[in-house]
């Protein structure tokens, strides 16, 4: 039986589910041969560059909104290599699922030290990652990309910097039950007794800035966050397509992440205005200019490579019927599963870490981290 026909039969059998359980249901039962698809680099490089323009932000962009105290706050966008010095209690927050985020985090910390002779603290968050697709990766105890998204960042970072510094704020939210990444960040500030905090979001994902800010601004405007003044900023991570991990080069997984970053931007959104109370029944703000982009450019990406998204993105943007949209997601999920193994991820992480260490030097545990940072090359790893 052809793959598409078999998938359609399995979906009908399982009620057209494409959540994590629905994806596993299909993956465990499909018998047709599956392989990652051949990807045309020239075609996709054009699409990904436009994805960075549409989903990413330019340094010095800013967005005004009402915060939890009813004051007008401004979400900032900073250059990874030019973070301002005068920030109140800044933390670089490493999260998003991209297994390049730890390298971008190190670059932010490295250049902040070089520019200001100060060491930025970091915080890694993320509980489960994409359980549907990455269950086999996270359900391990040995390796680098294991257990949770946060742990998958903490382990590589501990090879690049003092482990005590890397894991210092991991303890602040250990064994707590939080609703999501933004509430976990807020919990960190609460546990540290801070009156004001600055979160510098570092995702490693060149196409994710606007979705991050659109969701973070709305979440942190809820009254439950009014006790601490939160300054929200995103560090734009420039696109890199020559790393070993799947998110660092053209792959089924990279395309899936980008589709999931762009797809929700127009969905279930409330207008952004510093003069209006936000509608908290929505999922995110609609940022200015987002609806005016050429969404036709992303039709193939969102309809056929969205292995981490939901069918309503296709339905909203391209009027795809629900069953076809679900079928497209399951097919993309199956092709993505065929493109990696847990062991491959660990080997790729090690390869990228070695390349980074060859570029900046390898930190020796027990020595001065600040001295190491100051003595690293002035050259940028990400151009």
């Amino acid at each position: 039986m052809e793959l598409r026909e078999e998938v359609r039969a399995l979906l009908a059998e399982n009620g057209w589910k494409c959540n994590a359980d629905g994806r596993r249901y299909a993956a465990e039962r499909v018998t047709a041969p599956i392989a990652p698809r051949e990807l045309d680099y020239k075609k996709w490089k054009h699409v990904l560059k436009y994805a960075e323009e549409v989903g990413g932000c330019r340094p010095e962009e800013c967005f005004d909104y009402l915060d939890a105290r009813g004051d007008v706050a401004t979400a900032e966008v900073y250059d990874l290599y030019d973070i301002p010095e005068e920030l109140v209690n800044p933390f670089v927050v490493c999260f998003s699922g991209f297994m390049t985020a730890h390298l971008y985090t190190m670059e932010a910390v490295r250049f902040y030290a070089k520019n200001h002779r100060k060491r930025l603290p970091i915080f890694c968050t993320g509980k489960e990652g994409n359980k549907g697709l990455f269950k086999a990766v996270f359900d391990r105890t040995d390796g680098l990309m294991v257990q949770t998204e946060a742990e998958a960042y903490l382990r590589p970072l501990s090879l690049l910097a003092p482990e005590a510094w890397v894991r210092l704020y991991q303890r602040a939210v250990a064994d707590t039950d939080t609703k999501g990444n933004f509430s976990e960040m807020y919990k960190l500030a609460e546990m540290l007794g801070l009156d004001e905090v600055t979160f510098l979001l570092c995702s490693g994902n060149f196409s994710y800035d606007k979705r991050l800010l659109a969701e973070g601004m709305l979440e942190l405007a809820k009254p439950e966050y009014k006790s601490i003044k939160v300054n929200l900023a995103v560090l734009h991570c420039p696109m890199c397509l020559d790393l070993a991990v799947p998110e660092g080069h053209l792959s089924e997984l990279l395309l899936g992440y980008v589709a999931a970053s762009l797809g929700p931007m127009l969905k279930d959104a409330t207008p952004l205005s510093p003069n209006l109370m936000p509608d908290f029944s929505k999922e995110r703000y609609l940022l200015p200019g987002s609806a005016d982009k050429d969404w036709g450019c992303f039709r193939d990406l969102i309809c056929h490579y969205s292995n981490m998204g939901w069918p309503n993105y296709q339905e909203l943007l391209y009027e795809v019927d629900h069953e076809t949209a679900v079928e497209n997601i399951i097919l993309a999920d199956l092709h993505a599963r065929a493109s990696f193994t847990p062991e491959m991820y660990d080997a790729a992480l090690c390869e990228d870490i070695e390349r980074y260490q060859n570029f900046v030097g390898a930190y020796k545990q027990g020595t001065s981290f600040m001295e190491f940072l100051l003595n690293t090359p002035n050259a940028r790893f990400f151009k």
Side-chain angles (χ1 to χ4, degrees):
M1 184 185 294
E2 291 287 339
L3 176 60
R4 183 174 284 273
E5 293 176 6
E6 187 176 6
V7 163
R8 199 164 184 86
L10 287 169
L11 285 169
E13 179 183 290
N14 196 39
W16 296 92
K17 295 176 184 176
C18 69
N19 59 7
D21 290 338
R23 297 176 200 203
R24 282 198 294 269
Y25 184 91
E28 290 168 357
R29 290 165 176 78
V30 69
T31 60
I34 309 164
R37 292 164 284 191
E38 290 188 13
L39 303 174
D40 182 332
Y41 184 85
K42 185 176 180 180
K43 167 193 170 179
W44 287 112
K45 178 70 179 295
H46 168 76
V47 174
L48 294 174
K49 286 180 69 176
Y50 190 55
E52 182 171 22
E53 177 182 333
V54 173
C57 289
R58 296 183 306 277
E60 300 185 3
E61 276 191 281
C62 57
F63 303 93
D64 291 339
Y65 66 104
L66 284 180
D67 67 12
R69 300 179 173 196
D71 299 327
V72 176
T74 302
E76 305 274 1
V77 182
Y78 298 137
D79 188 306
L80 186 74
Y81 293 99
D82 190 20
I83 302 170
E85 180 180 9
E86 299 304 326
L87 300 175
V88 179
N89 296 322
F91 288 82
V92 179
V93 184
C94 178
F95 78 115
S96 81
F98 251 49
M99 291 313 299
T100 61
H102 52 290
L103 299 179
Y104 286 93
T105 293
M106 283 301 300
E107 285 291 87
V109 169
R110 190 166 74 89
F111 271 79
Y112 191 82
K114 285 178 155 302
N115 293 337
H116 308 305
R117 294 188 170 268
K118 294 180 181 179
R119 193 175 68 179
L120 276 170
I122 66 168
F123 179 60
C124 299
T125 183
K127 285 200 168 188
E128 296 183 341
N130 188 317
K131 272 291 189 181
L133 189 55
F134 291 118
K135 187 176 189 301
V137 182
F138 285 124
D139 284 1
R140 303 180 298 149
T141 55
D142 297 324
L144 286 178
M145 188 178 171
V146 299
Q147 298 178 24
T148 63
E149 180 185 317
E151 186 64 23
Y153 289 133
L154 290 164
R155 293 192 180 197
L157 282 165
S158 294
L159 299 176
L160 297 167
E163 186 165 12
W165 170 77
V166 169
R167 293 187 176 273
L168 178 60
Y169 296 108
Q170 175 193 13
R171 297 192 298 273
V173 291
D175 301 321
T176 62
D177 185 19
T178 55
K179 295 185 299 184
N181 293 315
F182 292 106
S183 57
E184 188 161 304
M185 294 174 208
Y186 190 82
K187 185 70 172 178
L188 169 69
E190 276 188 325
M191 289 187 148
L192 294 176
L194 302 178
D195 296 320
E196 185 173 354
V197 66
T198 303
F199 294 128
L200 304 168
L201 309 180
C202 186
S203 71
N205 183 342
F206 56 89
S207 66
Y208 197 32
D209 299 344
K210 288 193 178 74
R211 181 182 167 186
L212 265 181
L213 288 179
E215 294 175 3
M217 289 187 292
L218 186 59
E219 173 64 24
L220 292 170
K222 294 178 179 177
E224 63 210 69
Y225 300 109
K226 68 181 180 182
S227 296
I228 301 170
K229 178 175 173 53
V230 176
N231 304 302
L232 194 61
V234 67
L235 303 180
H236 178 65
C237 299
M239 183 168 64
C240 178
L241 296 179
D242 62 354
L243 293 173
V245 291
E247 296 86 6
H249 62 260
L250 181 59
S251 68
E252 294 272 357
L253 293 171
L254 172 64
L255 295 180
Y257 271 113
V258 175
S261 301
L262 299 174
M265 285 175 55
L266 306 186
K267 174 187 169 289
D268 201 18
T270 184
L272 176 64
S273 170
N275 302 313
L276 296 174
M277 285 298 296
D279 182 353
F280 292 125
S281 70
K282 302 297 184 180
E283 292 186 18
R284 60 190 58 84
Y285 279 117
L286 178 62
L287 298 189
S290 295
D292 301 329
K293 302 301 183 183
D294 177 13
W295 287 91
C297 179
F298 302 126
R299 183 183 182 104
D300 190 22
L301 174 74
I302 290 172
C303 290
H304 299 118
Y305 292 87
S306 185
N307 50 58
M308 305 175 195
W310 295 99
N312 46 22
Y313 308 155
Q314 299 175 52
E315 296 164 23
L316 171 69
L317 291 168
Y318 307 112
E319 299 182 345
V320 177
D321 69 87
H322 179 71
E323 290 187 0
T324 300
V326 170
E327 180 184 334
N328 287 341
I329 285 177
I330 296 296
L331 286 165
D333 178 83
L334 292 170
H335 286 298
R337 286 171 191 263
S339 72
F340 73 96
T341 65
E343 295 75 22
M344 181 212 76
Y345 250 113
D346 280 354
L349 279 166
C350 290
E351 182 178 335
D352 289 337
I353 288 169
E354 182 179 7
R355 177 177 166 187
Y356 186 74
Q357 288 175 324
N358 288 338
F359 186 84
V360 305
Y363 170 74
K364 184 179 179 182
Q365 296 288 337
T367 62
S368 169
F369 186 43
M370 177 58 78
E371 184 176 334
F372 167 76
L373 293 172
L374 293 175
N375 290 328
T376 58
N378 291 326
R380 301 177 176 192
F381 186 76
F382 296 106
K383 307 301 183 184

